[in-house]
Amino acid sequence: RSRSLRRRSPGRGGHGKGGGGDDDGPITTVFLVGLPHDAREEEVRGDLEYVGPVSRVVLMNRGSERNAFARFTSVEHAERAIDQILAGKLEVCQARVKAEMARRNTN
């Protein structure tokens, strides 16, 4: 029983929550808050690709909020998306949302 717990996370140290993400590279993931409840991955991706290529979108419900992580192919595209959203120049799923750089990248 205790042996299986020790073997759980070989090579990575097993620290942190979830064990995912690309911790070695620059953060290119944007965290979006306040999406409409019926928001779909394709809609989020389509709206964000206005500023640059998006490699991954992960939608989630947190309480009564619909949020997303969107991973761009470069830091510049991620920063441009945040700037456009905060300036009110870019809506996501026809809604004004909040955006910030994620703490780490999504897988």
Side-chain angles (χ1 to χ4, degrees):
R1 196 170 175 183
S2 61
R3 288 177 64 203
S4 64
L5 291 175
R6 276 186 240 140
R7 290 187 286 158
R8 235 168 111 177
S9 303
R12 297 280 306 208
H15 298 294
K17 185 177 176 184
D22 179 9
D23 295 329
D24 297 332
I27 295 174
T28 59
T29 301
V30 174
F31 181 56
L32 303 166
V33 178
L35 292 164
H37 294 287
D38 61 348
R40 294 186 343 258
E41 178 184 334
E42 300 81 22
E43 289 179 285
V44 174
R45 182 184 301 275
D47 290 341
L48 294 176
E49 285 187 335
Y50 167 78
V51 295
V54 176
S55 61
R56 183 171 169 96
V57 174
V58 178
L59 290 168
M60 70 194 88
N61 293 318
R62 187 173 183 183
S64 62
E65 283 187 333
R66 182 91 159 145
N67 303 323
F69 286 101
R71 185 168 185 178
F72 287 84
T73 57
S74 73
V75 173
E76 293 78 18
H77 291 131
E79 290 174 345
R80 190 176 322 145
I82 291 171
D83 291 343
Q84 295 281 321
I85 290 168
L86 295 180
K89 296 179 181 178
L90 177 61
E91 290 187 341
V92 182
C93 299
Q94 300 178 354
R96 291 209 48 183
V97 298
K98 296 177 186 174
E100 63 185 50
M101 197 63 83
R103 293 186 184 117
R104 65 182 181 167
N105 285 321
T106 57
N107 281 338

